[in-house]
């Protein structure tokens, strides 16, 4: 599904160059449930932006579904994103002047689906996420958890092969965060690859593989069998903090 070879990324900051990613090698198989962790400045959001084709890389190669993703025009990248991926963000990124149904239906508008059909499909996805009765409500009338579920429905409506989530629980309380993660598990159970960035250890421990970044490099990869050890280490860190 995803293969990165020696990915480097730098940004110009004034007269200096900030080297954010320093040779990332990574493979993520179809249907995996992965979290990316790291301290601020470790490169996790930059990595997610490259994976989601929101940013280009400077050196190396990135293959998505066996297709080389390299220096695409914004138009070409947008078409591929709309066909292959869905996004969920910490800040929800809902359009304030559109109701819940219209927000969910938006990706289908860009695919040229007629209004009646896209609204019908949007209602189906709202119902799946328990929000059918909120279809006509505006974003400012919804709770944080409701907004995030609408954002998830919007990400799913175009039937993506992979969901990228950037701190999807960062603006939510603990109970709502766990509800969102249960939805993510169900999505992954349907065969969709889910890759999320989080700084929360308890959220990361709900995924099946954790990629920890440090100073722009992969520090460690924790897989299924070692997640209990990861949770134990996290609890020890809390005790000594």
């Amino acid at each position: 599904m995803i293969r990165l070879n020696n990915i480097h990324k730098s940004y110009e900051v004034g007269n200096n160059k900030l080297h954010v990613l320093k040779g990332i090698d990574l493979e993520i198989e179809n249907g995996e449930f992965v979290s990316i962790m790291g301290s601020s400045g470790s490169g996790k959001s930059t990595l997610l932006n490259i994976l989601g084709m929101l940013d280009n890389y400077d050196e190396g190669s990135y293959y998505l579904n066996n297709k080389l993703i390299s220096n695409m025009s914004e138009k070409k990248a947008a078409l591929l994103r709309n066909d292959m991926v869905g996004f969920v963000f910490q800040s929800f990124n809902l359009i304030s002047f559109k109701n819940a149904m219209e927000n969910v239906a938006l990706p289908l508008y860009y695919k040229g689906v007629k209004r009646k059909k896209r609204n019908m499909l949007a209602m189906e996805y709202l119902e799946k996420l328990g929000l059918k009765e909120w279809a006509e409500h505006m974003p400012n009338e919804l709770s944080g958890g409701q907004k995030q579920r609408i954002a998830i429905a919007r990400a799913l409506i175009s039937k993506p092969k992979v969901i990228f989530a950037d701190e999807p629980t960062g603006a939510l309380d603990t109970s709502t965060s766990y509800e969102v993660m249960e939805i993510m598990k169900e999505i992954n159970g349907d065969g969709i690859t889910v890759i999320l960035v989080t700084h929360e250890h308890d959220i990361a421990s709900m995924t099946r593989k954790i990629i920890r970044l440090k100073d722009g490099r992969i520090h460690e990869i924790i897989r299924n069998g070692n997640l209990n050890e990861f949770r134990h280490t996290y609890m020890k860190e809390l005790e000594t903090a």
Side-chain angles (χ1 to χ4, degrees):
M1 166 60 76
I2 286 172
R3 187 168 79 253
L4 303 179
N5 298 312
N6 194 36
I7 292 290
H8 288 260
K9 178 66 180 180
S10 298
Y11 294 103
E12 300 289 339
V13 181
N15 295 323
N16 299 315
K17 182 176 279 191
L18 181 62
H19 197 177
V20 181
L21 297 180
K22 305 170 183 175
I24 299 291
D25 294 310
L26 179 63
E27 288 193 16
I28 297 173
E29 299 296 332
N30 186 40
E32 285 201 271
F33 190 13
V34 179
S35 55
I36 301 171
M37 296 194 75
S39 59
S40 179
S42 63
K44 58 186 185 295
S45 290
T46 298
L47 176 58
L48 194 74
N49 286 341
I50 289 172
L51 291 173
M53 295 170 286
L54 297 172
D55 201 355
N56 289 313
Y57 52 92
D58 300 328
E59 182 183 329
S61 59
Y62 167 30
Y63 289 87
L64 174 62
N65 209 29
N66 295 319
K67 181 180 180 62
L68 178 63
I69 308 299
S70 178
N71 294 320
M72 288 185 171
S73 67
E74 177 52 36
K75 183 177 180 180
K76 189 174 181 181
L79 288 171
L80 191 55
R81 281 196 302 268
N82 208 29
D83 186 52
M84 285 285 298
V85 308
F87 290 96
V88 179
F89 299 97
Q90 177 179 347
S91 56
F92 318 124
N93 286 12
L94 301 180
I95 297 176
S96 62
F97 56 85
K98 291 187 178 292
N99 64 32
M101 179 185 65
E102 292 167 333
N103 267 284
V104 172
L106 194 60
L108 299 183
Y109 169 80
Y110 292 113
K111 284 192 167 187
V113 177
K114 291 184 178 180
R115 182 193 296 268
K116 185 176 180 180
K117 184 174 181 181
R118 66 177 185 257
N119 287 348
M120 179 189 71
L121 289 169
M123 289 298 292
E124 289 179 10
Y125 277 89
L126 284 171
E127 185 171 14
K128 285 180 183 179
L129 290 165
L131 290 172
K132 186 177 180 180
E133 66 274 22
W134 295 88
E136 302 296 329
H137 287 252
M138 307 302 283
N140 64 0
E141 299 173 317
L142 305 170
S143 69
Q146 289 171 327
K147 290 177 185 177
Q148 195 59 293
R149 281 189 281 166
I150 288 166
I152 291 168
R154 181 184 58 192
L156 289 173
I157 198 168
S158 57
K159 297 184 178 178
K161 290 181 171 57
V162 56
I163 293 284
F164 294 110
D166 193 359
E167 299 278 5
T169 63
L172 306 174
D173 61 48
T174 300
S175 176
T176 309
S177 294
Y178 290 176
E179 289 175 8
V180 166
M181 286 304 294
E182 285 302 317
I183 294 170
M184 291 292 186
K185 287 180 183 178
E186 290 174 12
I187 292 168
N188 179 246
D190 289 335
I192 298 174
T193 306
V194 178
I195 301 169
L196 64 89
V197 160
T198 184
H199 66 276
E200 299 169 288
H201 288 73
D202 55 339
I203 296 299
S205 70
M206 296 179 192
T207 65
R208 295 178 181 173
K209 183 163 76 176
I210 301 170
I211 299 163
R212 298 187 77 171
L213 298 185
K214 185 176 182 180
D215 299 327
R217 295 183 173 90
I218 292 178
H219 178 62
E220 64 177 335
I221 296 177
I222 305 166
R223 302 179 191 276
N224 295 18
N226 296 321
L227 286 178
N228 285 333
E229 182 181 339
F230 170 78
R231 295 184 188 104
H232 178 68
T233 302
Y234 165 55
M235 294 305 297
K236 287 183 67 175
E237 288 175 359
L238 283 181
E239 290 170 4
T240 58

PDB file of all heavy atoms in Angstrom, residues 36 52 72 122-123 129 172 183 192 207 221:
ATOM      1  N   ILE A  36       1.387   7.311  14.376  1.00  0.00           N
ATOM      2  CA  ILE A  36       2.694   7.952  14.298  1.00  0.00           C
ATOM      3  C   ILE A  36       2.823   8.875  15.500  1.00  0.00           C
ATOM      4  O   ILE A  36       1.989   9.758  15.708  1.00  0.00           O
ATOM      5  CB  ILE A  36       2.851   8.749  12.990  1.00  0.00           C
ATOM      6  CG1 ILE A  36       2.678   7.826  11.778  1.00  0.00           C
ATOM      7  CG2 ILE A  36       4.209   9.447  12.941  1.00  0.00           C
ATOM      8  CD1 ILE A  36       2.608   8.567  10.449  1.00  0.00           C
ATOM      9  N   GLY A  52      -0.169  12.050   2.665  1.00  0.00           N
ATOM     10  CA  GLY A  52      -1.467  12.477   2.162  1.00  0.00           C
ATOM     11  C   GLY A  52      -1.397  13.360   0.935  1.00  0.00           C
ATOM     12  O   GLY A  52      -2.417  13.908   0.510  1.00  0.00           O
ATOM     13  N   MET A  72       3.993  16.133  -7.990  1.00  0.00           N
ATOM     14  CA  MET A  72       2.734  16.264  -8.714  1.00  0.00           C
ATOM     15  C   MET A  72       2.245  17.706  -8.693  1.00  0.00           C
ATOM     16  O   MET A  72       2.472  18.443  -7.729  1.00  0.00           O
ATOM     17  CB  MET A  72       1.657  15.383  -8.059  1.00  0.00           C
ATOM     18  CG  MET A  72       1.842  13.903  -8.282  1.00  0.00           C
ATOM     19  SD  MET A  72       0.440  12.995  -7.588  1.00  0.00           S
ATOM     20  CE  MET A  72       0.788  11.370  -8.238  1.00  0.00           C
ATOM     21  N   ALA A 122     -24.843  10.962   1.609  1.00  0.00           N
ATOM     22  CA  ALA A 122     -24.433  11.642   2.840  1.00  0.00           C
ATOM     23  C   ALA A 122     -25.341  11.254   3.998  1.00  0.00           C
ATOM     24  O   ALA A 122     -24.869  11.009   5.120  1.00  0.00           O
ATOM     25  CB  ALA A 122     -24.448  13.154   2.636  1.00  0.00           C
ATOM     26  N   MET A 123     -26.637  11.152   3.732  1.00  0.00           N
ATOM     27  CA  MET A 123     -27.571  10.746   4.776  1.00  0.00           C
ATOM     28  C   MET A 123     -27.287   9.318   5.242  1.00  0.00           C
ATOM     29  O   MET A 123     -27.387   9.005   6.433  1.00  0.00           O
ATOM     30  CB  MET A 123     -29.005  10.863   4.267  1.00  0.00           C
ATOM     31  CG  MET A 123     -29.489  12.292   4.088  1.00  0.00           C
ATOM     32  SD  MET A 123     -29.506  13.238   5.636  1.00  0.00           S
ATOM     33  CE  MET A 123     -30.813  12.402   6.530  1.00  0.00           C
ATOM     34  N   LEU A 129     -23.159   6.711  11.389  1.00  0.00           N
ATOM     35  CA  LEU A 129     -22.428   7.289  12.511  1.00  0.00           C
ATOM     36  C   LEU A 129     -23.366   7.883  13.561  1.00  0.00           C
ATOM     37  O   LEU A 129     -22.936   8.639  14.436  1.00  0.00           O
ATOM     38  CB  LEU A 129     -21.443   8.344  12.006  1.00  0.00           C
ATOM     39  CG  LEU A 129     -20.269   7.733  11.235  1.00  0.00           C
ATOM     40  CD1 LEU A 129     -19.525   8.782  10.436  1.00  0.00           C
ATOM     41  CD2 LEU A 129     -19.315   7.026  12.185  1.00  0.00           C
ATOM     42  N   LEU A 172     -10.825  16.664  21.824  1.00  0.00           N
ATOM     43  CA  LEU A 172     -11.957  15.975  22.442  1.00  0.00           C
ATOM     44  C   LEU A 172     -11.621  15.523  23.862  1.00  0.00           C
ATOM     45  O   LEU A 172     -10.459  15.305  24.200  1.00  0.00           O
ATOM     46  CB  LEU A 172     -12.344  14.751  21.605  1.00  0.00           C
ATOM     47  CG  LEU A 172     -12.623  15.016  20.115  1.00  0.00           C
ATOM     48  CD1 LEU A 172     -12.858  13.693  19.393  1.00  0.00           C
ATOM     49  CD2 LEU A 172     -13.805  15.956  19.928  1.00  0.00           C
ATOM     50  N   ILE A 183     -14.750   4.052  16.417  1.00  0.00           N
ATOM     51  CA  ILE A 183     -15.183   4.229  15.023  1.00  0.00           C
ATOM     52  C   ILE A 183     -14.020   3.941  14.081  1.00  0.00           C
ATOM     53  O   ILE A 183     -14.180   3.271  13.051  1.00  0.00           O
ATOM     54  CB  ILE A 183     -15.725   5.653  14.801  1.00  0.00           C
ATOM     55  CG1 ILE A 183     -17.018   5.863  15.597  1.00  0.00           C
ATOM     56  CG2 ILE A 183     -15.984   5.913  13.308  1.00  0.00           C
ATOM     57  CD1 ILE A 183     -17.487   7.301  15.641  1.00  0.00           C
ATOM     58  N   ILE A 192     -10.118  -0.781   5.451  1.00  0.00           N
ATOM     59  CA  ILE A 192      -9.496   0.495   5.090  1.00  0.00           C
ATOM     60  C   ILE A 192      -8.251   0.706   5.947  1.00  0.00           C
ATOM     61  O   ILE A 192      -8.284   0.528   7.173  1.00  0.00           O
ATOM     62  CB  ILE A 192     -10.482   1.662   5.283  1.00  0.00           C
ATOM     63  CG1 ILE A 192     -11.692   1.490   4.357  1.00  0.00           C
ATOM     64  CG2 ILE A 192      -9.798   3.001   5.025  1.00  0.00           C
ATOM     65  CD1 ILE A 192     -12.791   2.514   4.582  1.00  0.00           C
ATOM     66  N   THR A 207      -4.055   1.356  18.416  1.00  0.00           N
ATOM     67  CA  THR A 207      -3.734   0.968  17.045  1.00  0.00           C
ATOM     68  C   THR A 207      -2.932  -0.331  17.072  1.00  0.00           C
ATOM     69  O   THR A 207      -2.606  -0.857  18.135  1.00  0.00           O
ATOM     70  CB  THR A 207      -2.945   2.071  16.324  1.00  0.00           C
ATOM     71  OG1 THR A 207      -1.657   2.242  16.946  1.00  0.00           O
ATOM     72  CG2 THR A 207      -3.693   3.405  16.379  1.00  0.00           C
ATOM     73  N   ILE A 221       9.691   1.051  15.856  1.00  0.00           N
ATOM     74  CA  ILE A 221       8.378   0.614  15.396  1.00  0.00           C
ATOM     75  C   ILE A 221       7.901  -0.468  16.352  1.00  0.00           C
ATOM     76  O   ILE A 221       8.581  -1.481  16.558  1.00  0.00           O
ATOM     77  CB  ILE A 221       8.425   0.088  13.951  1.00  0.00           C
ATOM     78  CG1 ILE A 221       8.829   1.217  12.988  1.00  0.00           C
ATOM     79  CG2 ILE A 221       7.064  -0.485  13.549  1.00  0.00           C
ATOM     80  CD1 ILE A 221       8.961   0.769  11.544  1.00  0.00           C
TER      81      ILE A 221
END
